[in-house]
Amino acid sequence: MGCIIFETCGTDGDVLPFIRIGRKLLNYGHRVAIVTHSYYESIAKESKLDFISVDTPAEYAQFINDNASTSQNPQGHIFFLKRHVLSRVLRTYDKIKNYYVPGQTVIFSKSPGFISTIVSEKLDIPRVMCFFAPSFIMSKEFVITFYNLLKDDIISIRKELGLHSEYSWEKWWKSAERNIGLWPDWFEAEKSDSINSDSIYIERVGFVVDSSEFCDIPDDVKSLINDKEKPILINSSSSSLFINSDFFESSIKACEVLGQKAIIVGRHKEFMPANLPKGIYYFSHLPFGYLMTEAKAIIHHGGIGTSAQALASGLPQLVLAGGVDRPDNAMCLKRLGVGEYLLPPQWNYKCVMESLQRIITSKTVKEACLSVAEKMKKDNPIASICNIIDSILNSKERKMNKDKLYYEGNEFATLKKCDYDENNFHEKNDNENDIDKLIKNYSKEKLELALLLLTKSSPTTLGKESLIVKQPRKEGINIFPLTYYQERFWFLNKIEPNSLALNTFSAYMIYGNLNVEALEKTFNEIINRHENLRTTFGEIDGKPVQFVLPTIEFRLPVIDIQGDDRNNQNLEVERILSTKSYEPFDLSKGPLIRVLLIKLSEDEHIIWWGMHHIINDGWGSTVLIREIKELYSWFAYNKKHNLSELNVQCPDFAVWQRTYSNKGEKKDRMIKYWKKQLEGCNFKLSLPSDYTRPLVRTYNGSEELFYLPKSIRTKLKTLSNEVGVSLFMTLLSAFKLLVYINTNEHDIVIGSPVSGRNSEVLENLICDLTNMLVLRTVIDENDRIYDVMHKVKETALGAFQNQELPFQEIYSVLHYEIEPGYSPLFQMMFVFHEIFPQEKEQFLEGLNTRYLNIKKKVSQFDISLNMFDDNEEGLYGKFEYNTDLFSRETILKFVNQFKELLEVLIENPDLKISELCVKINDNYHQKLIKGEKEENVLDIEKDIVDADSDNGAGYQIYKIL
């Protein structure tokens, strides 16, 4: 007989299944020990298992507290593992070393198995790694990141044990003799989503549940369950992390209103009301295996242990799911038809009451529960596990990585044979007979598919941490973290919930016979393609998350104003678009895209759409235009569109960004750059204002537009090429010089957005992936203009190379204290746009379209200069400004000065900055003396109108807006 060691850390769902398996192995005559927390000593000994504690009662109490407070975010989880798992490897090793029997021992551990992996290698014990649910299988990319964050600690432990310090994630992840999944294959979200654990084969044996028929039940509980009216069970879980007052209040109130008797079981009485309503009873611990068979339904947190036990008992389940695997499990339960689930935003008694009433009265749910329970009776997971352990013990020759067909998705993908030695994994090709025998066990079709998939694998893409991959999606609402960029907007919205500064919008005039039905179908398809357009935002346990809704039914609102005359139509259009464009968004309620069609006549319409900045940026707007063009032609004229399938979505980028981006040496390098670059900056620099700055920052704003003809653009482009800079850098240099001239400050800090779409898979997404760069240039009065241009170039290139550090982390590492009256780090912004062809061409087939400018009423910063490059016509400019700081006259002065600056740059780029200031001021004053101020004001408006179009109706609307 053998010696079996079960090693696990966690709560009831992690420990009790191992104790149940251990009891069975005792019957086979094996020697069995459980290595776990001191809390489970009495339960283990009642089951006649040998017990090895990894902690003291006080340490276990700290373990539970930290599990609740720290372990459910990446940084906290790493801290948790270091404090409560890795710190105990050495002392646990000593205890196991004194217990095991050389050559006759198998160690059985829960994944990721840090303790058992090291102990197994040091003592040469075969290891079985156990996964408790499909969601516990980590992708290769996550495994690598997860391991690398703990690598130094693991190598340090290995050195103390005399093990080789060269160790990789692959040796850790793939070193188990067998990998077992404690769930049946029918529990997975979809049959097509079979587990791919990056070259480890998972043997799914089924749920290990409590099958005890007789339990010691207190008399007062027996009287409750022997009543004619069966109770509702409310299970509060072993950990308090996802169980709070909302969980209890909503569950208890729902039962009370429905007149349902309820039994609450769990440790966390502190979260419950002081006085329970009549018919609601609390117990700190009861044997659930028996209790579930006597209940009407169960409300619980979604842990796999409780879910499985309820399935075996044929009990309808209502899951209040939150965090880690709980939503995944809940979605699997819903797919099986055995109940419903609610996410934290729905944790109120009305939602709980309605769902509970449905599952306890539904005949369909009851039949599904009984069907699944019957199916589980046919599984014998403990017997399967015992057979696996016996096969390892009886094996004459143990290899740490057996011959396997590894599979990808639902089919076999690669065929390999490996061997293991103390220092290396390597390919082994000297035993063709064994491979031949293995091949004979599989059908010709599967082997052909294996070879086909193998040939399709691209070695250039394997193991790259930069690869953004699609994350699994489950039925119903999916929960993901926010991107760092979304997080910035989320916190801005928290500070100023009704702020209009983050509203984005566009409007177009449409001439011709518009197919309204096709246009509605177009937007429906776009919303279906892009998850970001059906995403809302909220919090779970104080952390912002995004909720991706499975579908949104879109209807295109049409406002018909055909009966009005042209003047009244213009006034009404102005009112409608101004109202819609500045209507606040509630991020917790979707959709965060709004679309409106205004009908002026049978052949004239205006299409308007608006979004919150958290779901879209400028690049995404061009993607939207392109998709409208393609899909309208599809629905209106049945022309096949050329849009490619979206391989990833914004949530996939968010997971990748938080898993791989800005880690280790790369992050350290970027932090070092920004600290050095921004040391000693004047972050409050702004152009001189007309009014006193409010104590709290406001967003009231306006804009002034101007135009630079094509001749000026051509000369600026030529100058840029001669100096060796881009047009962006030349225009930014001019803006910085404008600030210098008006402030006499040498240290100029201006912000500028940069697109984070540095991967091909992100180019076709409608989402916001912009980060803010802080561009600092120190100007000396003895510099020449081209010196400033080179300084700006150097600053820009350095910023671009370190652009991935999120803006909020920049001011965090600088220990910058945000002041209510100022935006963080800079008060002025410069934005350079290329006008994409989609904005100029007719994007609705068979129709003429024109862009309409809706005048801004908000400003995110003191002043923002937006420049639009149009190869064919010239340069458009727009100054957005805060009207609580600046008057229109002052902004017009800045516009004229900027134009003057550009002309001087073109004519005399070697002019000294000290001479430039005199020249610009002299030119401006000369124009004032000549009375050109009023003319320039008119020129700004006239230039835009003339450059845009001479179409009568469009001109009138454009001018009004």
Side-chain angles (χ1 to χ4, degrees):
M1 292 294 98
C3 174
I4 318 300
I5 299 173
F6 290 93
E7 182 268 313
T8 184
C9 293
T11 51
D12 288 359
D14 306 300
V15 179
L16 297 182
F18 280 10
I19 291 177
R20 291 164 189 152
I21 299 168
R23 284 201 302 253
K24 191 71 172 179
L25 285 166
L26 282 176
N27 296 335
Y28 288 176
H30 294 296
R31 180 184 178 190
V32 182
I34 178 95
V35 181
T36 189
H37 305 286
S38 55
Y39 175 83
Y40 294 98
E41 182 172 5
S42 60
I43 301 173
K45 290 185 175 178
E46 285 174 9
S47 299
K48 304 191 184 318
L49 304 182
D50 295 330
F51 182 77
I52 298 174
S53 176
V54 298
D55 56 20
T56 66
E59 288 173 331
Y60 178 68
Q62 187 64 51
F63 173 93
I64 290 295
N65 182 64
D66 286 350
N67 183 47
S69 61
T70 67
S71 70
Q72 303 307 317
N73 62 73
Q75 296 84 357
H77 191 58
I78 297 303
F79 162 81
F80 180 81
L81 287 172
K82 289 183 177 183
R83 180 172 186 174
H84 293 289
V85 179
L86 294 181
S87 65
R88 293 168 190 170
V89 171
L90 294 174
R91 61 180 174 181
T92 304
Y93 161 75
D94 287 333
K95 293 178 180 180
I96 293 176
K97 181 179 68 173
N98 294 329
Y99 181 85
Y100 92 114
V101 179
Q104 299 177 34
T105 301
V106 174
I107 189 166
F108 193 99
S109 69
K110 176 192 169 186
S111 112
F114 287 110
I115 294 176
S116 64
T117 305
I118 294 175
V119 170
S120 167
E121 183 179 354
K122 178 64 178 176
L123 298 179
D124 193 29
I125 302 173
R127 181 171 71 98
V128 176
M129 185 155 66
C130 180
F131 300 85
F132 277 58
S135 57
F136 281 29
I137 307 297
M138 299 182 286
S139 68
K140 177 180 178 180
E141 290 78 12
F142 186 84
V143 170
I144 293 171
T145 301
F146 188 61
Y147 172 77
N148 285 337
L149 290 171
L150 297 164
K151 185 177 180 180
D152 292 343
D153 298 85
I154 293 173
I155 288 177
S156 175
I157 295 168
R158 290 176 61 81
K159 285 181 179 178
E160 289 199 49
L161 288 174
L163 293 171
H164 202 290
S165 61
E166 291 184 10
Y167 198 65
S168 69
W169 72 271
E170 195 169 24
K171 288 185 179 181
W172 161 55
W173 192 240
K174 301 181 182 179
S175 62
E177 180 84 0
R178 304 280 278 272
N179 297 284
I180 294 174
L182 290 187
W183 70 89
D185 57 2
W186 47 260
F187 184 73
E188 292 167 12
E190 295 179 15
K191 294 295 285 184
S192 61
D193 282 344
S194 236
I195 302 304
N196 172 19
S197 54
D198 296 296
S199 300
I200 59 174
Y201 175 59
I202 310 295
E203 302 172 69
R204 289 156 290 171
V205 298
F207 294 118
V208 176
V209 297
D210 186 4
S211 56
S212 305
E213 295 183 7
F214 302 101
C215 301
D216 185 16
I217 302 292
D219 291 337
D220 52 350
V221 177
K222 287 180 181 177
S223 65
L224 292 175
I225 62 179
N226 288 335
D227 250 0
K228 291 181 181 179
E229 180 68 24
K230 289 189 173 183
I232 304 296
L233 292 185
I234 302 174
N235 177 29
S236 68
S237 157
S238 299
S239 169
S240 63
L241 180 64
F242 307 114
I243 308 304
N244 53 36
S245 58
D246 289 341
F247 175 91
F248 286 109
E249 287 174 4
S250 58
S251 301
I252 292 170
K253 182 70 172 177
C255 291
E256 181 186 17
V257 174
L258 290 174
Q260 293 289 336
K261 183 170 60 177
I263 295 177
I264 305 170
V265 181
R267 301 178 183 177
H268 306 293
K269 189 175 183 180
E270 67 272 18
F271 289 110
M272 289 187 289
N275 298 307
L276 293 175
K278 184 179 180 181
I280 310 293
Y281 306 90
Y282 167 76
F283 299 91
S284 60
H285 179 74
L286 287 174
F288 252 46
Y290 173 78
L291 201 60
M292 285 189 187
T293 61
E294 304 299 322
K296 182 181 292 186
I298 182 169
I299 304 172
H300 65 104
H301 64 296
I304 194 66
T306 307
S307 301
Q309 194 70 54
L311 287 175
S313 305
L315 190 63
Q317 304 184 52
L318 174 56
V319 177
L320 273 58
V324 196
D325 62 315
R326 276 74 174 178
D328 292 336
N329 298 336
M331 291 170 192
C332 292
L333 294 172
K334 183 177 180 181
R335 184 185 63 80
L336 292 171
V338 298
E340 298 186 8
Y341 70 91
L342 300 172
L343 298 173
Q346 301 165 297
W347 287 14
N348 59 76
Y349 87 90
K350 289 183 179 179
C351 290
V352 174
M353 180 180 66
E354 291 169 0
S355 295
L356 182 60
Q357 181 70 359
R358 280 195 294 270
I359 68 171
I360 63 178
T361 58
S362 171
K363 183 179 178 181
T364 304
V365 170
K366 188 61 178 176
E367 288 175 350
C369 290
L370 295 175
S371 174
V372 171
E374 193 63 31
K375 184 186 293 188
M376 287 184 66
K377 290 179 182 178
K378 299 175 183 178
D379 292 334
N380 194 344
I382 293 181
S384 299
I385 292 169
C386 292
N387 288 334
I388 289 169
I389 291 174
D390 272 346
S391 69
I392 296 172
L393 289 172
N394 294 330
S395 175
K396 291 182 179 180
E397 181 182 8
R398 175 173 60 83
K399 299 178 224 173
M400 290 301 287
N401 202 317
K402 287 189 173 233
D403 304 336
K404 291 186 182 76
L405 273 175
Y406 304 101
Y407 62 91
E408 180 178 302
N410 197 36
E411 298 294 343
F412 294 92
T414 58
L415 184 64
K416 291 169 106 169
K417 182 172 181 66
C418 299
D419 197 8
Y420 174 83
D421 63 31
E422 285 190 355
N423 301 316
N424 225 338
F425 276 99
H426 56 84
E427 299 288 322
K428 183 176 180 180
N429 299 310
D430 58 354
N431 196 343
E432 297 298 327
N433 290 332
D434 285 350
I435 294 181
D436 290 341
K437 291 176 184 178
L438 184 65
I439 289 174
K440 289 177 183 178
N441 293 328
Y442 294 94
S443 68
K444 177 184 176 182
E445 290 77 17
K446 281 194 172 180
L447 289 171
E448 286 177 349
L449 180 59
L451 293 173
L452 176 64
L453 291 172
L454 181 58
T455 59
K456 286 185 176 181
S457 298
S458 172
T460 61
T461 62
L462 295 177
K464 284 191 176 180
E465 295 184 357
S466 60
L467 187 65
I468 303 171
V469 297
K470 191 170 185 66
Q471 301 298 311
R473 301 298 197 273
K474 307 300 181 182
E475 182 183 355
I477 299 173
N478 282 266
I479 306 175
F480 291 97
L482 273 60
T483 67
Y484 291 122
Y485 316 133
Q486 289 173 323
E487 193 174 73
R488 183 174 81 248
F489 293 127
W490 164 262
F491 284 116
L492 286 174
N493 184 75
K494 289 272 285 185
I495 296 169
E496 192 85 22
N498 295 316
S499 172
L500 305 175
L502 298 178
N503 285 22
T504 65
F505 38 82
S506 297
Y508 288 82
M509 190 78 190
I510 304 171
Y511 304 99
N513 186 19
L514 175 67
N515 186 330
V516 178
E517 183 182 357
L519 188 61
E520 182 176 87
K521 288 181 178 178
T522 295
F523 276 96
N524 264 302
E525 183 63 18
I526 292 171
I527 291 170
N528 181 58
R529 279 171 54 80
H530 295 271
E531 288 182 350
N532 227 30
L533 301 184
R534 41 191 168 84
T535 293
T536 61
F537 299 84
E539 290 183 349
I540 295 179
D541 299 316
K543 300 293 182 181
V545 295
Q546 52 181 315
F547 300 97
V548 179
L549 308 178
T551 58
I552 288 179
E553 187 174 353
F554 171 79
R555 290 286 181 266
L556 178 60
V558 179
I559 298 178
D560 191 337
I561 57 173
Q562 291 183 90
D564 295 347
D565 61 38
R566 180 62 72 184
N567 287 333
N568 287 337
Q569 280 186 337
N570 286 340
L571 292 173
E572 184 65 1
V573 166
E574 181 182 16
R575 185 192 67 78
I576 293 171
L577 297 191
S578 180
T579 301
K580 293 299 293 183
S581 298
Y582 295 102
E583 183 179 329
F585 283 94
D586 183 348
L587 298 188
S588 66
K589 297 176 182 177
L592 299 181
I593 177 174
R594 299 168 181 154
V595 188
L596 178 67
L597 186 69
I598 303 174
K599 187 169 186 177
L600 304 175
S601 69
E602 285 301 318
D603 296 321
E604 290 179 310
H605 295 79
I606 293 174
I607 182 71
W608 171 93
W609 59 79
M611 288 178 256
H612 193 280
H613 213 329
I614 199 169
I615 66 166
N616 195 34
D617 57 19
W619 186 304
S621 295
T622 66
V623 175
L624 177 61
I625 292 286
R626 182 169 65 247
E627 295 207 355
I628 292 173
K629 176 183 177 182
E630 292 283 338
L631 294 170
Y632 180 82
S633 297
W634 181 31
F635 290 116
Y637 301 102
N638 202 27
K639 291 187 177 181
K640 186 177 180 181
H641 68 76
N642 295 314
L643 300 177
S644 59
E645 183 178 352
L646 300 176
N647 295 322
V648 300
Q649 298 270 355
C650 186
D652 305 308
F653 174 79
V655 172
W656 171 85
Q657 189 184 47
R658 291 185 175 276
T659 306
Y660 296 118
S661 182
N662 313 326
K663 304 295 181 183
E665 293 181 0
K666 180 181 179 182
K667 182 175 183 179
D668 293 339
R669 172 179 57 79
M670 291 190 292
I671 289 175
K672 184 178 180 181
Y673 168 83
W674 287 111
K675 277 186 174 180
K676 181 179 179 181
Q677 179 67 14
L678 301 178
E679 185 180 3
C681 274
N682 176 13
F683 297 121
K684 296 180 182 180
L685 177 66
S686 181
L687 287 163
S689 62
D690 300 294
Y691 315 115
T692 303
R693 181 180 295 274
L695 294 177
V696 177
R697 185 159 59 123
T698 64
Y699 299 94
N700 301 317
S702 187
E703 63 182 20
E704 291 299 332
L705 301 137
F706 61 96
Y707 170 69
L708 300 170
K710 187 175 182 179
S711 58
I712 297 294
R713 184 210 176 270
T714 301
K715 291 176 182 178
L716 287 170
K717 187 68 177 173
T718 301
L719 172 65
S720 301
N721 293 336
E722 290 173 352
V723 177
V725 300
S726 67
L727 184 56
F728 161 82
M729 295 170 185
T730 297
L731 293 169
L732 176 58
S733 299
F735 187 33
K736 292 207 171 195
L737 288 170
L738 175 70
V739 176
Y740 175 82
I741 290 169
N742 283 279
T743 62
N744 202 32
E745 292 284 347
H746 295 264
D747 197 351
I748 312 296
V749 179
I750 291 175
S752 186
V754 62
S755 174
R757 298 174 193 251
N758 50 12
S759 172
E760 196 171 296
V761 296
L762 302 175
E763 290 180 356
N764 295 321
L765 295 183
I766 297 174
C767 61
D768 181 76
L769 296 177
T770 54
N771 194 21
M772 295 300 296
L773 301 182
V774 187
L775 305 176
R776 179 190 191 185
T777 305
V778 178
I779 298 175
D780 189 281
E781 64 179 6
N782 293 318
D783 286 339
R784 301 186 184 274
I785 290 175
Y786 57 71
D787 293 327
V788 174
M789 294 169 72
H790 279 293
K791 286 183 176 181
V792 168
K793 176 183 178 179
E794 182 181 359
T795 298
L797 292 178
F800 292 151
Q801 290 172 1
N802 295 275
Q803 65 177 281
E804 291 183 25
L805 191 69
F807 177 69
Q808 57 267 41
E809 285 203 33
I810 294 177
Y811 62 76
S812 176
V813 300
L814 293 172
H815 303 294
Y816 175 83
E817 292 186 10
I818 299 176
E819 295 188 37
Y822 295 85
S823 60
L825 300 188
F826 58 85
Q827 314 310 313
M828 295 167 288
M829 183 172 73
F830 176 77
V831 188
F832 182 76
H833 308 265
E834 291 183 0
I835 296 182
F836 289 84
Q838 292 86 352
E839 291 194 4
K840 294 183 65 61
E841 65 187 13
Q842 309 309 307
F843 64 89
L844 293 175
E845 186 171 349
L847 304 166
N848 291 322
T849 57
R850 285 183 60 251
Y851 177 75
L852 300 180
N853 185 66
I854 303 172
K855 192 165 186 178
K856 296 277 282 187
K857 294 183 179 179
V858 296
S859 177
Q860 289 190 52
F861 302 95
D862 290 3
I863 285 180
S864 298
L865 173 58
N866 293 262
M867 296 300 300
F868 302 84
D869 182 18
D870 187 334
N871 270 312
E872 296 179 6
E873 293 183 2
L875 289 166
Y876 295 89
K878 179 170 66 175
F879 270 87
E880 295 175 13
Y881 63 99
N882 189 309
T883 53
D884 292 327
L885 294 174
F886 302 98
S887 67
R888 182 171 185 258
E889 288 73 20
T890 296
I891 299 302
L892 292 174
K893 170 191 169 183
F894 294 150
V895 171
N896 283 294
Q897 283 185 331
F898 186 72
K899 285 184 173 183
E900 290 287 333
L901 269 168
L902 292 176
E903 290 179 7
V904 174
L905 259 66
I906 292 168
E907 294 170 1
N908 195 357
D910 63 348
L911 191 68
K912 279 190 175 183
I913 303 305
S914 56
E915 297 169 347
L916 172 69
C917 294
V918 175
K919 188 175 183 67
I920 295 297
N921 288 326
D922 283 349
N923 286 353
Y924 182 70
H925 288 297
Q926 286 298 320
K927 287 189 177 183
L928 288 181
I929 293 170
K930 293 178 182 179
E932 295 183 4
K933 182 178 181 182
E934 292 300 321
E935 183 181 346
N936 281 333
V937 173
L938 295 174
D939 283 345
I940 292 170
E941 294 178 347
K942 181 175 180 294
D943 285 342
I944 290 294
V945 172
D946 290 346
D948 189 78
S949 173
D950 59 0
N951 181 289
Y955 166 83
Q956 289 177 338
I957 293 170
Y958 190 97
K959 188 172 182 181
I960 288 171
L961 298 178

